[in-house]
Amino acid sequence: MERLITKIKAIDWDDIALNMNEKGYAIIPKLISEKQCKVLLNMYDEPIAYRKTVTMERYRFGLGEYKYFDYPLPEIIQTLREQIYPKLVPIANLWMKVLKMEKEFPDSLYALQKQCHDVNQLKPTPLILKYGKGGYNTLHQDLYGEVYFPLQAVLFLNEPNVDFDGGEFVLMQQIPRAQSKAIVLQPKKGDMLIFTTNFRPIKGKKGYYRANMKHGVSELHRGARHTVGIIFHDAIS
């Protein structure tokens, strides 16, 4: 994992912060290798790795399936979670400050997990998602409990327009007293997308205001699409 850690340290995190502040999302191209994508894909059918499987249509979440990893997390996911979280804390704390919210996030993932565990949020939230033809995911937010971190990430394990068609990642920005704005993205295999969990600040004429955000996946027309979601806070269940 040393190569991955070095790669994360070499990222221009000031540029990531700029994109997050201006758009509510940022793409890191080719963060993980072809081999690492394959390792995660091959892990999908290993039941021992997971604590829970969810069939989306059963709960009207969409059409597809996702599985929550159990602790201990796979090394690559644990490394990404531990190494990326501290890079995002300054962004999250700035958002809290400009929105005048009395919340400050700790510097380490361990400290955030302690806050989760203190309110009985004990379950890991990283997950792997699988969609086939016709699959989609309805707009939603990944909160899981009282304690949540306002940024999260997703890794893309398949190549769009090669392994699948359609299946775009959709962000919906709900602007107060205005129409909602859809942001449609199609990151490539190995890319990581960082985005807001449930809201972001936008600067208006009278200061910053809070724009609520949801995310989902548009319908797949062909092939199979897999992603790994990296959420930093733990869950009640």
Side-chain angles (χ1 to χ4, degrees):
M1 290 297 116
E2 288 300 321
R3 184 175 296 180
L4 180 59
I5 292 172
T6 300
K7 204 168 184 178
I8 292 169
K9 289 179 179 177
I11 292 168
D12 185 345
W13 288 101
D14 289 337
D15 186 61
I16 298 296
L18 182 65
N19 278 283
M20 292 300 302
N21 293 332
E22 289 185 351
K23 303 176 182 179
Y25 70 89
I27 296 175
I28 302 173
K30 298 297 179 186
L31 180 61
I32 63 171
S33 66
E34 178 89 21
K35 182 179 179 181
Q36 289 168 326
C37 286
K38 189 174 182 180
V39 166
L40 290 168
L41 281 170
N42 289 341
M43 201 176 292
Y44 192 85
D45 293 320
E46 296 179 13
I48 195 172
Y50 305 101
R51 68 174 178 87
K52 185 178 182 180
T53 299
V54 176
T55 302
M56 292 185 195
E57 55 265 43
R58 179 178 177 185
Y59 301 97
R60 296 187 177 180
F61 292 164
L63 181 62
E65 182 180 79
Y66 57 87
K67 301 179 181 183
Y68 287 104
F69 288 97
D70 203 355
Y71 283 132
L73 298 174
E75 185 180 11
I76 184 172
I77 295 176
Q78 182 66 24
T79 298
L80 287 166
R81 212 180 184 211
E82 288 180 354
Q83 296 294 318
I84 289 174
Y85 171 82
K87 306 294 187 182
L88 300 181
V89 167
I91 303 170
N93 283 338
L94 176 63
W95 287 11
M96 298 300 106
K97 183 178 179 180
V98 299
L99 290 173
K100 297 180 171 57
M101 298 176 69
E102 294 183 1
K103 177 69 178 177
E104 185 172 354
F105 294 96
D107 292 337
S108 72
L109 180 65
Y110 173 80
L112 178 70
Q113 286 182 303
K114 186 178 185 306
Q115 291 182 1
C116 291
H117 296 174
D118 287 345
V119 293
N120 204 36
Q121 291 177 218
L122 305 172
K123 303 291 187 179
T125 47
L127 68 164
I128 187 166
L129 304 97
K130 178 182 180 180
Y131 306 90
K133 182 180 178 181
Y136 67 96
N137 196 347
T138 55
L139 294 170
H140 65 283
Q141 298 172 328
D142 298 312
L143 298 177
Y144 297 108
E146 175 187 343
V147 176
Y148 63 85
F149 189 64
L151 306 175
Q152 63 188 81
V154 58
L155 289 166
F156 295 80
L157 306 183
N158 303 100
E159 189 65 33
N161 304 316
V162 177
D163 299 322
F164 66 93
D165 294 324
E168 294 88 357
F169 188 92
V170 180
L171 282 167
M172 187 65 71
Q173 180 174 290
Q174 298 169 307
I175 303 170
R177 297 177 298 279
Q179 299 292 332
S180 296
K181 175 185 176 182
I183 301 164
V184 180
L185 306 169
Q186 190 67 287
K188 296 183 180 298
K189 185 176 184 178
D191 291 357
M192 171 177 275
L193 171 67
I194 300 172
F195 62 101
T196 174
T197 300
N198 63 331
F199 63 83
R200 76 180 189 94
I202 297 179
K203 192 171 185 179
K205 293 180 180 179
K206 298 181 180 180
Y208 286 89
Y209 64 89
R210 172 173 166 164
N212 288 328
M213 303 283 288
K214 292 184 177 182
H215 64 278
V217 175
S218 70
E219 184 177 344
L220 260 75
H221 307 307
R222 178 192 63 86
R225 177 188 187 273
H226 301 76
T227 55
V228 169
I230 298 179
I231 299 155
F232 299 100
H233 47 273
D234 285 343
I236 292 175
S237 63

